[in-house]
Amino acid sequence: MEVVICPDAEAVGALAASKVARVCRDVGPEVVIGVATGSSPLALYDHLARLVREGSLDLSRATAFALDEYVGLPVEHPESYASVIDRTVTQPLGLDPARVHLPDGNASDVPTACRAYEQAIAAVGGVDVQILGVGANGHIGFNEPGSSLSSRTRIKTLATSTRADNARFFERLDQVPTHCITQGLGTIMDAREVVLVAQGQHKVDAVAGVVEGPVTARCPGSVLQFHQHATVVLDEHASAGLAGAQEYRNAWDHKPDWQRWR
Ligand code: GLP
């Protein structure tokens, strides 16, 4: 796991975007990107969008798969992840909407829809780079504590704390859906690269669990310790609980030129 500590949230977005852009350029125009919702990757998307506008990155033939979707929220609802991804990813990054995929949160046969989602990812050869945030309870995607570390796309019940966290996007807590469809931890682990971003004091415990805690279903993101190519980009606040912070800075500052992607 590569841990990079940045001075502030803006720098997190810029650095993480440069990592994602590097993978996109290396893979080529048909790159497959895994995209996350939440506030954490918004600066990353802004920086990617800038590269697209400047003409140094073309994602018009890229394919994208979202991590998750609420169950039972109409697609046209402004807080459905279909709407959020369209607003924050598809349009600003110039993706082709026909190549942007989300789990079907309104499927009449949920298990079949989940299998179809896994098959769609496999059909394009898997995800080249997966963008991730992390929930305050350590969830990635919507894999809440207790999720199987080898889980695949399936329906999950949202944790009480996650519904409370996400209530800020709705008028009232009882409007936050109780269920979601999410890629599993095994699905996420199949991505060839993962880039996780976290900012702010409220992510200290989650980040410490993901980066340095025991690998445990109590902190689902900790499974990334088993990933061969996981990059975690943090601001000072989110990194404050890391015992190895000095060593991560040292390793980053002394990276050989050929390993650099900033
Ligand atoms: C959401 C999403 C996750 C996201 C997390 C953190 O509910 N399902 O993909 O990483 O919770 O959200 P935020 O970045 O807003 O803190």
Side-chain angles (χ1 to χ4, degrees), residues 21-123:
R22 163 66 71 89
V23 177
C24 291
R25 292 186 185 112
D26 285 352
V27 171
E30 304 206 329
V31 64
V32 181
I33 309 173
V35 292
T37 55
S39 46
S40 305
L42 292 179
L44 187 169
Y45 295 142
D46 282 348
H47 281 274
L48 278 182
R50 188 176 308 167
L51 298 178
V52 169
R53 281 197 305 275
E54 290 169 358
S56 64
L57 184 66
D58 178 9
L59 296 177
S60 60
R61 287 163 60 198
T63 295
F65 286 91
L67 284 169
D68 43 20
E69 176 60 285
Y70 290 117
V71 166
L73 209 56
V75 170
E76 58 280 5
H77 189 289
E79 294 307 327
S80 77
Y81 282 175
S83 297
V84 172
I85 292 291
D86 186 60
R87 220 164 42 228
T88 62
V89 179
T90 308
Q91 294 187 32
L93 270 54
L95 299 180
D96 174 358
R99 296 184 211 231
V100 178
H101 307 274
L102 288 100
D104 181 358
N106 291 291
S108 53
D109 180 346
V110 170
T112 299
C114 293
R115 274 194 300 277
Y117 202 62
E118 289 277 337
Q119 283 160 4
I121 296 172

Side-chain angles (χ1 to χ4, degrees), residues 36-41 67-68 81 132-135 139-142 162 166 168-169 202-203:
T37 55
S39 46
S40 305
L67 284 169
D68 43 20
Y81 282 175
L132 293 172
V134 60
H139 74 232
I140 54 176
F142 266 139
T162 300
N166 287 6
R168 67 190 194 276
F169 298 114
H202 61 301
K203 296 293 174 72

